Amino acid sequence: MSEITPRLAAALADRYTIERELGAGGMATVYLAHDVKHNRKVALKVLKPDLAAVLGAERFVQEITTTAALQHPHILPLYDSGEADTFLYYVMPYVEGETLRDKLDREKQLGIEEAVRLTTDVADALEYAHGQNVIHRDIKPENILLHNGRPLVADFGIALAVSAAAGGRMTETGLSLGTPHYMSPEQATGDRELDARSDVYSLGAMVYEMLSGEPPHHGNTVQAIIARILSEDPPPVSRQRPAVPAHVDAAVRKALDKTPADRFPTAAKFAEALGNPAFTLSHTAATPAAPAGPRARQPAIAIALAAVAVLAIGAAVAGWLRTTPKQVFRVSMAIHEDAALTEQSTLRIAMSPDGRRIVYVGPAASSPLNRQLWLRELDALSARPVLGTEGAMSPFFSRDGSAIGFFTGEPGDLRVVPTDGGPVRTIVTGGADPWGGDWGPDGRIYFTGPDGHLLRISPGGTTIDTVATPDRTKGELEYDFAHVLPNGKGAIVEIWHSSVDDATIAVVALATGAVTTLAQGVNARYLPTGHLVWVTSDGMLLAAPFDIDGMTFTGSSVLIEQGIAVDPDAGAGQFAVSETGNLIYEAGSATGVAQLHWVTRQGEATPVDPDWWGAFGYVALSPDGRSLALTLSGTDGTHVWVKNLEGGGLLRLALGAGTFDRPTWTPDGTSVTYRGGSASERGIWTRRADASQPAERTAALPEGFYADEAVWSPDGTTLVIRGQRPGTMRDILVLRPGTDTVPRELIATAQEEYSPIVSPTA
């Protein structure tokens, strides 16, 4: 229980006996309580103290009483409300069962008939409330209780009551009324006068998730979600689930129209369309353009020639920066096929400090690795190869632009070549990982070592200094993509934990090695305007004012651009900035939206399902070839799913907090083993593929130990693990579940070991 419970219990003792905490949301903490007077269980919701302080008891109780008169079979009634010892509370019936969120977390998608039925019932409740001039404002799966299979809408009018009681002071609470994934565009932009059509949009977003398994818009930040709500049309739900009837698909699309006037005017009209097989859209403008599936890496780079801080948002961002809006120029740079960008799991692009040149990783016919650096002047029509850079990765310019640094592998060399041509010098031999580098104002080069440490070396010296060491107890594995601040006091790094979804941006104090986390996201850069820019894992470029002396943010972040390509394996956002304010980025899919294919030995590829697209990660085929275990990235991270290839839907195996990935099948094909979990519960898990039993931790890893992947021996008695102990390279280990308590070494060399596979006769 929370610390305030004893005081709260004492304040309400004459009316309610608090039994236990049920959960907490953005506005309130929910308790199971006993109604002393009526001898019944109730759900007691207590507003957060900071919110209560802003609202004031008298105004809140006055506003909430307007919702107490709502009486409908699908509306959870309001029993009581009031104030006790500064606590503001309201009371509703305690309903045995689960929320729609619980059901979706378990099943991901609902049957079409069930989804339509639930939506129709909720729409009926909304129609009734709207007739009483009450708008819900927060329709979402968490507010739909399921009792005997029928929905009950909770918290009706609470958001309105809070907003009305607060008047213009909601900003003092730090709260945003409404949940971003289900907000209508007009609610997301802060319009005060919301009507029934806003709830219709939220209901449309909810049924979209019931049918497709995801909300129509998602992202890792509130800003990213709202940006997509305002600027993007979601793909038709039938594209993600072909079985959805055409009339249901059309009804959902109309409900999600960005323009309120083009939506259904009432919830009843929406419900009617869902049940009418003859319903079609009366116009085509609402039909989103069919996505081309995965964004093929085109031989082009988008370049924005303007101050980055005002790119794409114009006057709104200019006001935030207190500057005059500037004109934004945007061009696409065509790159000849012979010199196209080369796929590799790290940074591919860099821009010179003066913004006049770019260097990128392109093809090299003479190199077995088929990559080398190419240099291009922005006023030239073609690029030229940089001689001697075969095998290059992660290029970066020196502070004066006269030299280019690059890496050769993992671990590999750190090398330097003059920008205008000349001999290549090897600065570090076999001790540098290719996760980015930067010249500091002290003339030294900062880079990532093979153990994940942040290192530095003088280009003319031999001594390598350790600047900062990852804290394994916090799940930190590597400090990557170093960017040294111009005052030399700190270096911005990306902290890699287990996946791109939990990567964070931090600043390292160069004098002490102290590390301070700043934000969630991948590689970041500082601009002379006094801002830090970085990319989220879903490709949103954010900027926030940053004090380089205090090495801290001094204001909130804003969205600058979206659609930045992000390499999910390396956590590399494919963008670069110059000191003159130019931004260059590779456009692409941040979350790796792709399609799965069968590929014959002759190289012929056919889709597993032509209508199935997703942010797929690791894929494993069951021993009988009838099912797939795979990872999908969504709004709540990366998780393991199973798909029946003979017509079944998706079934989620991995539940709970953290990132789960690297699925592999047990030899008998009945279960799936995968790694993941929260920082405190990270391990190797196994669960039956039909999800009929809870997941079991197959291996609880020792403190500080990290597992990359695990595969079973053919007899199912032994796990072969690729993993790492603190301060070591990744090795191959074995563990016999039920017998061994810790993994033991099988192959441990001075090199990195990868991808263990056990032969069928082992």
Side-chain angles (χ1 to χ4, degrees), residues 429-462:
T429 302
D433 271 2
W435 312 126
D438 192 25
W439 256 279
D442 58 2
R444 288 182 285 187
I445 296 177
Y446 292 70
F447 62 99
T448 304
D451 52 7
H453 296 185
L454 177 62
L455 308 177
R456 65 186 171 193
I457 186 173
S458 170
T462 58

PDB file of all heavy atoms in Angstrom, residues 429-462:
ATOM      1  N   THR A 429      44.084  -0.594 -32.769  1.00  0.00           N
ATOM      2  CA  THR A 429      44.062  -1.879 -33.463  1.00  0.00           C
ATOM      3  C   THR A 429      43.300  -2.906 -32.636  1.00  0.00           C
ATOM      4  O   THR A 429      43.694  -3.229 -31.508  1.00  0.00           O
ATOM      5  CB  THR A 429      45.490  -2.389 -33.726  1.00  0.00           C
ATOM      6  OG1 THR A 429      46.196  -1.418 -34.507  1.00  0.00           O
ATOM      7  CG2 THR A 429      45.465  -3.715 -34.464  1.00  0.00           C
ATOM      8  N   GLY A 430      42.191  -3.392 -33.191  1.00  0.00           N
ATOM      9  CA  GLY A 430      41.452  -4.490 -32.566  1.00  0.00           C
ATOM     10  C   GLY A 430      40.819  -4.191 -31.236  1.00  0.00           C
ATOM     11  O   GLY A 430      40.458  -5.113 -30.508  1.00  0.00           O
ATOM     12  N   GLY A 431      40.627  -2.925 -30.894  1.00  0.00           N
ATOM     13  CA  GLY A 431      40.058  -2.611 -29.593  1.00  0.00           C
ATOM     14  C   GLY A 431      38.973  -1.567 -29.636  1.00  0.00           C
ATOM     15  O   GLY A 431      38.726  -0.879 -28.643  1.00  0.00           O
ATOM     16  N   ALA A 432      38.317  -1.433 -30.796  1.00  0.00           N
ATOM     17  CA  ALA A 432      37.268  -0.414 -30.931  1.00  0.00           C
ATOM     18  C   ALA A 432      36.037  -1.038 -31.563  1.00  0.00           C
ATOM     19  O   ALA A 432      36.124  -1.699 -32.600  1.00  0.00           O
ATOM     20  CB  ALA A 432      37.764   0.749 -31.783  1.00  0.00           C
ATOM     21  N   ASP A 433      34.890  -0.841 -30.938  1.00  0.00           N
ATOM     22  CA  ASP A 433      33.629  -1.299 -31.509  1.00  0.00           C
ATOM     23  C   ASP A 433      33.050  -0.201 -32.398  1.00  0.00           C
ATOM     24  O   ASP A 433      33.288   0.984 -32.156  1.00  0.00           O
ATOM     25  CB  ASP A 433      32.634  -1.644 -30.392  1.00  0.00           C
ATOM     26  CG  ASP A 433      32.766  -3.099 -29.951  1.00  0.00           C
ATOM     27  OD1 ASP A 433      33.646  -3.789 -30.495  1.00  0.00           O
ATOM     28  OD2 ASP A 433      31.997  -3.528 -29.072  1.00  0.00           O
ATOM     29  N   PRO A 434      32.260  -0.587 -33.409  1.00  0.00           N
ATOM     30  CA  PRO A 434      31.812   0.398 -34.412  1.00  0.00           C
ATOM     31  C   PRO A 434      30.575   1.182 -34.024  1.00  0.00           C
ATOM     32  O   PRO A 434      29.760   1.531 -34.876  1.00  0.00           O
ATOM     33  CB  PRO A 434      31.534  -0.479 -35.628  1.00  0.00           C
ATOM     34  CG  PRO A 434      31.036  -1.758 -35.035  1.00  0.00           C
ATOM     35  CD  PRO A 434      31.838  -1.950 -33.771  1.00  0.00           C
ATOM     36  N   TRP A 435      30.418   1.495 -32.744  1.00  0.00           N
ATOM     37  CA  TRP A 435      29.198   2.177 -32.317  1.00  0.00           C
ATOM     38  C   TRP A 435      29.431   3.672 -32.160  1.00  0.00           C
ATOM     39  O   TRP A 435      29.100   4.280 -31.162  1.00  0.00           O
ATOM     40  CB  TRP A 435      28.671   1.564 -31.021  1.00  0.00           C
ATOM     41  CG  TRP A 435      28.622   0.068 -31.061  1.00  0.00           C
ATOM     42  CD1 TRP A 435      29.188  -0.796 -30.178  1.00  0.00           C
ATOM     43  CD2 TRP A 435      27.983  -0.744 -32.056  1.00  0.00           C
ATOM     44  NE1 TRP A 435      28.955  -2.090 -30.554  1.00  0.00           N
ATOM     45  CE2 TRP A 435      28.219  -2.098 -31.702  1.00  0.00           C
ATOM     46  CE3 TRP A 435      27.259  -0.481 -33.208  1.00  0.00           C
ATOM     47  CZ2 TRP A 435      27.748  -3.162 -32.457  1.00  0.00           C
ATOM     48  CZ3 TRP A 435      26.790  -1.551 -33.972  1.00  0.00           C
ATOM     49  CH2 TRP A 435      27.023  -2.858 -33.589  1.00  0.00           C
ATOM     50  N   GLY A 436      30.025   4.272 -33.190  1.00  0.00           N
ATOM     51  CA  GLY A 436      30.155   5.713 -33.251  1.00  0.00           C
ATOM     52  C   GLY A 436      31.386   6.252 -32.545  1.00  0.00           C
ATOM     53  O   GLY A 436      31.959   5.612 -31.658  1.00  0.00           O
ATOM     54  N   GLY A 437      31.815   7.432 -32.957  1.00  0.00           N
ATOM     55  CA  GLY A 437      32.954   8.093 -32.351  1.00  0.00           C
ATOM     56  C   GLY A 437      32.849   9.594 -32.543  1.00  0.00           C
ATOM     57  O   GLY A 437      32.038  10.086 -33.324  1.00  0.00           O
ATOM     58  N   ASP A 438      33.707  10.340 -31.812  1.00  0.00           N
ATOM     59  CA  ASP A 438      33.668  11.796 -31.930  1.00  0.00           C
ATOM     60  C   ASP A 438      34.994  12.378 -31.468  1.00  0.00           C
ATOM     61  O   ASP A 438      35.631  11.855 -30.545  1.00  0.00           O
ATOM     62  CB  ASP A 438      32.532  12.379 -31.081  1.00  0.00           C
ATOM     63  CG  ASP A 438      32.264  13.852 -31.395  1.00  0.00           C
ATOM     64  OD1 ASP A 438      32.574  14.276 -32.525  1.00  0.00           O
ATOM     65  OD2 ASP A 438      31.745  14.563 -30.520  1.00  0.00           O
ATOM     66  N   TRP A 439      35.410  13.451 -32.146  1.00  0.00           N
ATOM     67  CA  TRP A 439      36.566  14.230 -31.710  1.00  0.00           C
ATOM     68  C   TRP A 439      36.124  15.197 -30.628  1.00  0.00           C
ATOM     69  O   TRP A 439      35.156  15.937 -30.802  1.00  0.00           O
ATOM     70  CB  TRP A 439      37.129  15.030 -32.874  1.00  0.00           C
ATOM     71  CG  TRP A 439      38.396  14.493 -33.470  1.00  0.00           C
ATOM     72  CD1 TRP A 439      39.664  14.677 -32.992  1.00  0.00           C
ATOM     73  CD2 TRP A 439      38.516  13.729 -34.669  1.00  0.00           C
ATOM     74  NE1 TRP A 439      40.565  14.057 -33.830  1.00  0.00           N
ATOM     75  CE2 TRP A 439      39.893  13.472 -34.871  1.00  0.00           C
ATOM     76  CE3 TRP A 439      37.603  13.225 -35.604  1.00  0.00           C
ATOM     77  CZ2 TRP A 439      40.378  12.748 -35.943  1.00  0.00           C
ATOM     78  CZ3 TRP A 439      38.080  12.505 -36.672  1.00  0.00           C
ATOM     79  CH2 TRP A 439      39.457  12.267 -36.842  1.00  0.00           C
ATOM     80  N   GLY A 440      36.828  15.214 -29.511  1.00  0.00           N
ATOM     81  CA  GLY A 440      36.560  16.203 -28.478  1.00  0.00           C
ATOM     82  C   GLY A 440      37.328  17.478 -28.735  1.00  0.00           C
ATOM     83  O   GLY A 440      38.283  17.499 -29.522  1.00  0.00           O
ATOM     84  N   PRO A 441      36.960  18.568 -28.081  1.00  0.00           N
ATOM     85  CA  PRO A 441      37.701  19.821 -28.237  1.00  0.00           C
ATOM     86  C   PRO A 441      39.137  19.709 -27.729  1.00  0.00           C
ATOM     87  O   PRO A 441      39.975  20.553 -28.055  1.00  0.00           O
ATOM     88  CB  PRO A 441      36.874  20.823 -27.416  1.00  0.00           C
ATOM     89  CG  PRO A 441      36.046  20.006 -26.503  1.00  0.00           C
ATOM     90  CD  PRO A 441      35.797  18.713 -27.197  1.00  0.00           C
ATOM     91  N   ASP A 442      39.441  18.665 -26.942  1.00  0.00           N
ATOM     92  CA  ASP A 442      40.812  18.443 -26.472  1.00  0.00           C
ATOM     93  C   ASP A 442      41.656  17.701 -27.501  1.00  0.00           C
ATOM     94  O   ASP A 442      42.828  17.401 -27.251  1.00  0.00           O
ATOM     95  CB  ASP A 442      40.800  17.661 -25.153  1.00  0.00           C
ATOM     96  CG  ASP A 442      40.093  16.310 -25.265  1.00  0.00           C
ATOM     97  OD1 ASP A 442      39.641  15.957 -26.377  1.00  0.00           O
ATOM     98  OD2 ASP A 442      39.993  15.607 -24.243  1.00  0.00           O
ATOM     99  N   GLY A 443      41.068  17.401 -28.689  1.00  0.00           N
ATOM    100  CA  GLY A 443      41.810  16.733 -29.751  1.00  0.00           C
ATOM    101  C   GLY A 443      41.800  15.232 -29.669  1.00  0.00           C
ATOM    102  O   GLY A 443      42.279  14.555 -30.594  1.00  0.00           O
ATOM    103  N   ARG A 444      41.264  14.669 -28.585  1.00  0.00           N
ATOM    104  CA  ARG A 444      41.209  13.216 -28.454  1.00  0.00           C
ATOM    105  C   ARG A 444      39.932  12.659 -29.077  1.00  0.00           C
ATOM    106  O   ARG A 444      38.918  13.352 -29.187  1.00  0.00           O
ATOM    107  CB  ARG A 444      41.309  12.816 -26.978  1.00  0.00           C
ATOM    108  CG  ARG A 444      42.714  13.022 -26.416  1.00  0.00           C
ATOM    109  CD  ARG A 444      42.832  12.578 -24.977  1.00  0.00           C
ATOM    110  NE  ARG A 444      42.210  13.514 -24.051  1.00  0.00           N
ATOM    111  CZ  ARG A 444      42.289  13.413 -22.722  1.00  0.00           C
ATOM    112  NH1 ARG A 444      42.980  12.411 -22.175  1.00  0.00           N
ATOM    113  NH2 ARG A 444      41.712  14.298 -21.946  1.00  0.00           N
ATOM    114  N   ILE A 445      39.990  11.399 -29.484  1.00  0.00           N
ATOM    115  CA  ILE A 445      38.843  10.719 -30.084  1.00  0.00           C
ATOM    116  C   ILE A 445      38.175   9.855 -29.015  1.00  0.00           C
ATOM    117  O   ILE A 445      38.834   9.073 -28.320  1.00  0.00           O
ATOM    118  CB  ILE A 445      39.276   9.848 -31.278  1.00  0.00           C
ATOM    119  CG1 ILE A 445      39.856  10.728 -32.394  1.00  0.00           C
ATOM    120  CG2 ILE A 445      38.097   9.048 -31.812  1.00  0.00           C
ATOM    121  CD1 ILE A 445      40.381   9.944 -33.582  1.00  0.00           C
ATOM    122  N   TYR A 446      36.861   9.987 -28.896  1.00  0.00           N
ATOM    123  CA  TYR A 446      36.061   9.233 -27.935  1.00  0.00           C
ATOM    124  C   TYR A 446      35.312   8.140 -28.688  1.00  0.00           C
ATOM    125  O   TYR A 446      34.717   8.389 -29.738  1.00  0.00           O
ATOM    126  CB  TYR A 446      35.084  10.159 -27.214  1.00  0.00           C
ATOM    127  CG  TYR A 446      35.771  11.147 -26.292  1.00  0.00           C
ATOM    128  CD1 TYR A 446      36.534  12.202 -26.796  1.00  0.00           C
ATOM    129  CD2 TYR A 446      35.668  11.016 -24.914  1.00  0.00           C
ATOM    130  CE1 TYR A 446      37.178  13.100 -25.954  1.00  0.00           C
ATOM    131  CE2 TYR A 446      36.301  11.916 -24.054  1.00  0.00           C
ATOM    132  CZ  TYR A 446      37.053  12.952 -24.583  1.00  0.00           C
ATOM    133  OH  TYR A 446      37.687  13.832 -23.736  1.00  0.00           O
ATOM    134  N   PHE A 447      35.311   6.909 -28.141  1.00  0.00           N
ATOM    135  CA  PHE A 447      34.711   5.777 -28.849  1.00  0.00           C
ATOM    136  C   PHE A 447      34.325   4.692 -27.850  1.00  0.00           C
ATOM    137  O   PHE A 447      34.649   4.780 -26.646  1.00  0.00           O
ATOM    138  CB  PHE A 447      35.687   5.224 -29.896  1.00  0.00           C
ATOM    139  CG  PHE A 447      36.973   4.675 -29.318  1.00  0.00           C
ATOM    140  CD1 PHE A 447      37.137   3.303 -29.112  1.00  0.00           C
ATOM    141  CD2 PHE A 447      38.022   5.526 -28.984  1.00  0.00           C
ATOM    142  CE1 PHE A 447      38.318   2.802 -28.573  1.00  0.00           C
ATOM    143  CE2 PHE A 447      39.206   5.029 -28.454  1.00  0.00           C
ATOM    144  CZ  PHE A 447      39.358   3.661 -28.243  1.00  0.00           C
ATOM    145  N   THR A 448      33.648   3.662 -28.341  1.00  0.00           N
ATOM    146  CA  THR A 448      33.193   2.547 -27.510  1.00  0.00           C
ATOM    147  C   THR A 448      34.178   1.389 -27.605  1.00  0.00           C
ATOM    148  O   THR A 448      34.551   0.973 -28.706  1.00  0.00           O
ATOM    149  CB  THR A 448      31.806   2.060 -27.947  1.00  0.00           C
ATOM    150  OG1 THR A 448      30.893   3.157 -27.914  1.00  0.00           O
ATOM    151  CG2 THR A 448      31.302   0.949 -27.038  1.00  0.00           C
ATOM    152  N   GLY A 449      34.606   0.876 -26.450  1.00  0.00           N
ATOM    153  CA  GLY A 449      35.488  -0.280 -26.428  1.00  0.00           C
ATOM    154  C   GLY A 449      34.704  -1.569 -26.522  1.00  0.00           C
ATOM    155  O   GLY A 449      33.473  -1.593 -26.397  1.00  0.00           O
ATOM    156  N   PRO A 450      35.381  -2.710 -26.745  1.00  0.00           N
ATOM    157  CA  PRO A 450      34.684  -3.990 -26.911  1.00  0.00           C
ATOM    158  C   PRO A 450      33.943  -4.462 -25.670  1.00  0.00           C
ATOM    159  O   PRO A 450      33.098  -5.347 -25.756  1.00  0.00           O
ATOM    160  CB  PRO A 450      35.816  -4.959 -27.290  1.00  0.00           C
ATOM    161  CG  PRO A 450      37.071  -4.301 -26.833  1.00  0.00           C
ATOM    162  CD  PRO A 450      36.832  -2.830 -26.949  1.00  0.00           C
ATOM    163  N   ASP A 451      34.240  -3.885 -24.513  1.00  0.00           N
ATOM    164  CA  ASP A 451      33.518  -4.235 -23.291  1.00  0.00           C
ATOM    165  C   ASP A 451      32.407  -3.246 -22.983  1.00  0.00           C
ATOM    166  O   ASP A 451      31.809  -3.282 -21.917  1.00  0.00           O
ATOM    167  CB  ASP A 451      34.485  -4.311 -22.110  1.00  0.00           C
ATOM    168  CG  ASP A 451      35.350  -3.056 -21.976  1.00  0.00           C
ATOM    169  OD1 ASP A 451      35.085  -2.090 -22.724  1.00  0.00           O
ATOM    170  OD2 ASP A 451      36.268  -3.053 -21.142  1.00  0.00           O
ATOM    171  N   GLY A 452      32.128  -2.321 -23.928  1.00  0.00           N
ATOM    172  CA  GLY A 452      31.057  -1.351 -23.730  1.00  0.00           C
ATOM    173  C   GLY A 452      31.480  -0.092 -23.015  1.00  0.00           C
ATOM    174  O   GLY A 452      30.665   0.815 -22.833  1.00  0.00           O
ATOM    175  N   HIS A 453      32.762   0.008 -22.585  1.00  0.00           N
ATOM    176  CA  HIS A 453      33.228   1.201 -21.884  1.00  0.00           C
ATOM    177  C   HIS A 453      33.365   2.370 -22.856  1.00  0.00           C
ATOM    178  O   HIS A 453      33.604   2.182 -24.052  1.00  0.00           O
ATOM    179  CB  HIS A 453      34.587   0.938 -21.221  1.00  0.00           C
ATOM    180  CG  HIS A 453      34.531  -0.114 -20.159  1.00  0.00           C
ATOM    181  ND1 HIS A 453      35.616  -0.433 -19.369  1.00  0.00           N
ATOM    182  CD2 HIS A 453      33.528  -0.935 -19.746  1.00  0.00           C
ATOM    183  CE1 HIS A 453      35.285  -1.393 -18.528  1.00  0.00           C
ATOM    184  NE2 HIS A 453      34.026  -1.717 -18.738  1.00  0.00           N
ATOM    185  N   LEU A 454      33.254   3.585 -22.334  1.00  0.00           N
ATOM    186  CA  LEU A 454      33.550   4.778 -23.112  1.00  0.00           C
ATOM    187  C   LEU A 454      35.042   5.067 -22.960  1.00  0.00           C
ATOM    188  O   LEU A 454      35.533   5.270 -21.837  1.00  0.00           O
ATOM    189  CB  LEU A 454      32.722   5.969 -22.627  1.00  0.00           C
ATOM    190  CG  LEU A 454      32.994   7.312 -23.320  1.00  0.00           C
ATOM    191  CD1 LEU A 454      32.683   7.232 -24.806  1.00  0.00           C
ATOM    192  CD2 LEU A 454      32.198   8.432 -22.670  1.00  0.00           C
ATOM    193  N   LEU A 455      35.763   5.076 -24.094  1.00  0.00           N
ATOM    194  CA  LEU A 455      37.210   5.237 -24.094  1.00  0.00           C
ATOM    195  C   LEU A 455      37.595   6.496 -24.866  1.00  0.00           C
ATOM    196  O   LEU A 455      36.782   7.062 -25.593  1.00  0.00           O
ATOM    197  CB  LEU A 455      37.881   4.020 -24.737  1.00  0.00           C
ATOM    198  CG  LEU A 455      37.489   2.639 -24.202  1.00  0.00           C
ATOM    199  CD1 LEU A 455      38.187   1.544 -24.990  1.00  0.00           C
ATOM    200  CD2 LEU A 455      37.809   2.519 -22.716  1.00  0.00           C
ATOM    201  N   ARG A 456      38.883   6.914 -24.723  1.00  0.00           N
ATOM    202  CA  ARG A 456      39.387   8.025 -25.521  1.00  0.00           C
ATOM    203  C   ARG A 456      40.880   7.832 -25.750  1.00  0.00           C
ATOM    204  O   ARG A 456      41.579   7.210 -24.949  1.00  0.00           O
ATOM    205  CB  ARG A 456      39.112   9.362 -24.843  1.00  0.00           C
ATOM    206  CG  ARG A 456      39.827   9.580 -23.522  1.00  0.00           C
ATOM    207  CD  ARG A 456      39.371  10.861 -22.852  1.00  0.00           C
ATOM    208  NE  ARG A 456      39.891  10.970 -21.489  1.00  0.00           N
ATOM    209  CZ  ARG A 456      39.461  11.863 -20.589  1.00  0.00           C
ATOM    210  NH1 ARG A 456      38.494  12.711 -20.913  1.00  0.00           N
ATOM    211  NH2 ARG A 456      39.982  11.898 -19.377  1.00  0.00           N
ATOM    212  N   ILE A 457      41.348   8.407 -26.870  1.00  0.00           N
ATOM    213  CA  ILE A 457      42.753   8.304 -27.228  1.00  0.00           C
ATOM    214  C   ILE A 457      43.140   9.508 -28.070  1.00  0.00           C
ATOM    215  O   ILE A 457      42.322  10.039 -28.839  1.00  0.00           O
ATOM    216  CB  ILE A 457      43.034   6.995 -28.007  1.00  0.00           C
ATOM    217  CG1 ILE A 457      44.536   6.820 -28.261  1.00  0.00           C
ATOM    218  CG2 ILE A 457      42.254   6.958 -29.309  1.00  0.00           C
ATOM    219  CD1 ILE A 457      44.908   5.481 -28.879  1.00  0.00           C
ATOM    220  N   SER A 458      44.389   9.933 -27.930  1.00  0.00           N
ATOM    221  CA  SER A 458      44.906  10.986 -28.792  1.00  0.00           C
ATOM    222  C   SER A 458      45.277  10.368 -30.132  1.00  0.00           C
ATOM    223  O   SER A 458      45.864   9.286 -30.176  1.00  0.00           O
ATOM    224  CB  SER A 458      46.140  11.627 -28.159  1.00  0.00           C
ATOM    225  OG  SER A 458      46.774  12.492 -29.082  1.00  0.00           O
ATOM    226  N   PRO A 459      44.912  11.015 -31.262  1.00  0.00           N
ATOM    227  CA  PRO A 459      45.241  10.444 -32.570  1.00  0.00           C
ATOM    228  C   PRO A 459      46.725  10.160 -32.755  1.00  0.00           C
ATOM    229  O   PRO A 459      47.101   9.283 -33.538  1.00  0.00           O
ATOM    230  CB  PRO A 459      44.756  11.515 -33.559  1.00  0.00           C
ATOM    231  CG  PRO A 459      43.686  12.239 -32.823  1.00  0.00           C
ATOM    232  CD  PRO A 459      44.136  12.257 -31.393  1.00  0.00           C
ATOM    233  N   GLY A 460      47.591  10.855 -32.033  1.00  0.00           N
ATOM    234  CA  GLY A 460      49.022  10.622 -32.163  1.00  0.00           C
ATOM    235  C   GLY A 460      49.610   9.837 -31.010  1.00  0.00           C
ATOM    236  O   GLY A 460      50.821   9.638 -30.938  1.00  0.00           O
ATOM    237  N   GLY A 461      48.769   9.364 -30.094  1.00  0.00           N
ATOM    238  CA  GLY A 461      49.274   8.680 -28.911  1.00  0.00           C
ATOM    239  C   GLY A 461      49.001   7.192 -28.927  1.00  0.00           C
ATOM    240  O   GLY A 461      48.467   6.637 -29.886  1.00  0.00           O
ATOM    241  N   THR A 462      49.354   6.541 -27.841  1.00  0.00           N
ATOM    242  CA  THR A 462      49.151   5.091 -27.709  1.00  0.00           C
ATOM    243  C   THR A 462      48.357   4.733 -26.468  1.00  0.00           C
ATOM    244  O   THR A 462      47.927   3.587 -26.329  1.00  0.00           O
ATOM    245  CB  THR A 462      50.508   4.386 -27.647  1.00  0.00           C
ATOM    246  OG1 THR A 462      51.268   4.904 -26.540  1.00  0.00           O
ATOM    247  CG2 THR A 462      51.292   4.596 -28.943  1.00  0.00           C
TER     248      THR A 462
END
